[in-house]
Amino acid sequence: MFIRVSKDDGATWSEPVNISDTARRTSKQSYWQTDVKGNVSLGNFYGDSGKPNIFAAGGHVAVTWADKYCPAADVDDTNLNDDSPDYNYHQGAATYLDREGRQVPFSCTYIAYTKNPSAVDAEFKPTGGTWKREQLSFGERDAKQNTPRATSYSDGTKVAWNVVWQEDPEGLKTGTADGPGDGASGANVNKGTDIWYTYIEDMKAAALADITFAANVSRVTNNFKKFKKR
């Protein structure tokens, strides 16, 4: 996932900034590779950043997306430059018989945000700002449909940020693409799909290092537990 910034109505742009940096990383092996005969084989499934959702408020910008690179919670995020797989044995996968039996790992939710999107270098050219990335879920369920939003306090002293997304316990449905909302969009879900939520109270005051969305993640609905009891 890349961003570029313009400060002159699109006449010139900053260099691309990679805010996801997951495409060369893997946390799951699955049966998704096919040979010339159509046989499906086991292989590393690398990070794949889905559709970005962006929101700007109070001089800050946040981007959320679902990704196939879902390392466990104890993986050191600073080691993303190494070549070792970060296998997460709790990350699920769905097998699609209508897609030649390919097995696709569950996605997890990410957010990346910056407090200085208008930053410039010594020559006053936009740099794209300094970004922090956080992983909000870990692939035990299939994440989809994420939305970031911000709310300014009435006195203007704080800017609170919120993120919501859904998690399907059995994996994303492919759909038939017959009409609006269909075709692996997350509009059609399996029983037990829940809504998840996180927030920070103020992005305006804290330094990036002091902000953490991941610490406040919670399940909003209780469909999964109710479904499992039946």
Side-chain angles (χ1 to χ4, degrees):
M1 194 81 65
F2 291 83
I3 65 98
R4 300 181 76 178
V5 175
S6 175
K7 293 175 65 67
D8 52 14
D9 295 326
T12 61
W13 292 85
S14 69
E15 291 298 315
V17 178
N18 189 342
I19 62 172
S20 63
D21 197 24
T22 63
R24 56 198 169 85
R25 307 298 301 152
T26 180
S27 58
K28 181 76 173 177
Q29 288 188 317
S30 68
Y31 289 90
W32 69 279
Q33 298 175 323
T34 56
D35 58 23
V36 293
K37 296 182 179 180
N39 298 315
V40 181
S41 60
L42 183 68
N44 287 331
F45 200 106
Y46 286 87
D48 185 11
S49 302
K51 180 178 70 103
N53 293 291
I54 187 169
F55 196 80
H60 313 124
V61 179
V63 181
T64 58
W65 70 95
D67 207 293
K68 297 301 183 185
Y69 174 62
C70 304
D74 57 352
V75 170
D76 186 355
D77 193 56
T78 62
N79 289 332
L80 284 177
N81 291 324
D82 64 35
D83 296 323
S84 301
D86 297 313
Y87 294 137
N88 177 4
Y89 298 103
H90 296 287
Q91 184 177 0
T95 301
Y96 297 99
L97 299 179
D98 57 346
R99 299 294 189 272
E100 299 177 323
R102 286 185 174 91
Q103 187 182 58
V104 180
F106 288 174
S107 296
C108 52
T109 302
Y110 280 86
I111 183 170
Y113 46 94
T114 180
K115 292 168 61 68
N116 59 342
S118 299
V120 296
D121 60 18
E123 298 178 352
F124 298 100
K125 296 180 180 179
T127 65
T130 302
W131 290 76
K132 179 180 178 181
R133 187 194 68 184
E134 287 190 63
Q135 183 181 346
L136 303 180
S137 63
F138 299 94
E140 296 96 336
R141 296 159 296 274
D142 207 359
K144 190 73 173 177
Q145 297 282 31
N146 47 81
T147 303
R149 286 294 183 267
T151 304
S152 297
Y153 285 59
S154 58
D155 59 5
T157 58
K158 295 181 179 181
V159 180
W161 283 77
N162 316 271
V163 183
V164 294
W165 67 95
Q166 71 184 41
E167 295 187 10
D168 192 320
E170 297 184 24
L172 180 67
K173 285 188 173 183
T174 56
T176 58
D178 288 337
D182 212 339
S185 67
N188 295 327
V189 298
N190 293 292
K191 290 183 178 180
T193 296
D194 276 317
I195 302 299
W196 292 72
Y197 168 84
T198 189
Y199 71 96
I200 58 169
E201 292 184 355
D202 185 20
M203 193 180 295
K204 193 172 183 178
L208 279 181
D210 299 324
I211 299 173
T212 172
F213 283 87
N216 297 320
V217 172
S218 61
R219 188 197 303 259
V220 177
T221 56
N222 198 27
N223 297 322
F224 179 70
K225 290 184 178 179
K226 291 180 179 178
F227 172 61
K228 287 296 183 180
K229 288 180 180 179
R230 294 173 185 168

